[in-house]
Amino acid sequence: MEPVPHTNTNLRRAPVQQRSAERLARILDACAELLDETGYEQLSTRAVAVRAGVPIGSVYRFFSNKRALTDALARRNLDSYAERVTARLAVIPAADWRSAIDAVLDEYLAMKRSVAGFALVDFGAAAPEEDPANDANQRVAGRLGELLSGYLGTTSDEDLSRTVLVCVEAADALLQLAFRADPSGDQAIVAETRTMLRAYLARVLE
């Protein structure tokens, strides 16, 4: 599988050649695996280099520290999520907006349950206390707003942007609760989240 293209402008050096892009992908894959195994506090750039099978200098070529590394992983996750949502929306009629919202939620749940490192780093910082102004939900809402406006054949305006941000913030809080109660996601809370999103969006999309 080809590496997911990077949109992270915080990289020290963006990969140009395929070989460099593949090495960057291995580094991020190793970071994700180690997050699941050791957590963020025990994560080190040296351990990532060993797991990825690259010299430590290769890690520092792209990242200044582990925080920059996990930030890049979060942005790759968002790129991957946007691609998955885009593929789902492409086969759902515009009139069936409830199925579209279900797809947006289901793809997040699928990544939460299966993607390495996603439990600690989905789209934002692994250690939020290091970045109290973390704008991960703003980034997610921005991407989803663009995707949904394209799907609906409308222009993304201030009202839609605000609506999507409210949905993202509310869903984020509820899903944190769902996965705190059950490692695979409490099904009753997930169902309530789905109901909440549909009810809130009905006033805008119907």
Side-chain angles (χ1 to χ4, degrees), residues 153-177:
T154 63
T155 301
S156 182
D157 57 19
E158 185 177 345
D159 289 341
L160 179 62
S161 296
R162 181 174 55 252
T163 296
V164 173
L165 179 60
V166 168
C167 287
V168 169
E169 291 282 0
D172 181 42
L174 287 171
L175 293 176
Q176 284 187 43
L177 174 62

Side-chain angles (χ1 to χ4, degrees), residues 40 67 120 124-134:
Y40 179 73
R67 172 60 190 278
L120 281 179
E129 66 276 6
E130 294 182 7
D131 184 12
N134 189 329

Side-chain angles (χ1 to χ4, degrees), residues 173-195:
L174 287 171
L175 293 176
Q176 284 187 43
L177 174 62
F179 281 87
R180 188 162 64 243
D182 181 341
S184 62
D186 184 284
Q187 291 300 314
I189 297 176
V190 170
E192 291 294 320
T193 303
R194 196 180 304 276
T195 298

Side-chain angles (χ1 to χ4, degrees), residues 8 24 27-28 30-31 43-45 48-49 59 62-74 121:
N8 190 348
L24 175 58
I27 290 170
L28 291 176
C31 175
L43 181 72
S44 71
T45 52
V48 169
V59 176
F62 296 114
F63 307 107
S64 57
N65 52 40
K66 71 177 183 179
R67 172 60 190 278
L69 182 54
T70 54
D71 282 351
L73 179 62
V121 178

